[in-house]
Amino acid sequence: MYKVITKEQEQEFTSLDLAMEHAKLINEFVTISGGEFEIVGRFGVDSVVDGKTPDGVAYTWNKASRIGRVKKEK
């Protein structure tokens, strides 16, 4: 069993796929708890088109802004 937990409610599902689909539909920060692991976050960003996520937020991640030293080839 997998639990989708929000601030307001908890709901159980028989598969991880069903739990993730439900998390996408409610469109808020959730915890999915199942057996030996937990997944946290807001589900539903499946693609970036023209630099924006499906809800219109600009997607600005780039490799140069990552923390840590960039490895260079010799």
Side-chain angles (χ1 to χ4, degrees), residues 21-36:
E21 281 302 315
H22 179 71
K24 287 180 183 181
L25 290 174
I26 60 177
N27 197 28
E28 63 181 76
F29 189 89
V30 300
T31 300
I32 297 178
S33 176
E36 301 175 2

Side-chain angles (χ1 to χ4, degrees), residues 7-38:
K7 287 182 181 181
E8 308 280 325
Q9 63 180 344
E10 285 187 21
Q11 191 167 350
E12 290 190 356
F13 296 90
T14 56
S15 73
L16 181 57
D17 289 337
L18 291 172
M20 291 177 69
E21 281 302 315
H22 179 71
K24 287 180 183 181
L25 290 174
I26 60 177
N27 197 28
E28 63 181 76
F29 189 89
V30 300
T31 300
I32 297 178
S33 176
E36 301 175 2
F37 67 90
E38 286 187 340

Side-chain angles (χ1 to χ4, degrees), residues 45 47-53 55-66:
V45 176
S47 63
V48 175
V49 177
D50 295 327
K52 297 194 184 267
T53 60
D55 60 354
V57 175
Y59 182 77
T60 59
W61 185 92
N62 65 51
K63 191 171 183 175
S65 68
R66 290 181 23 206

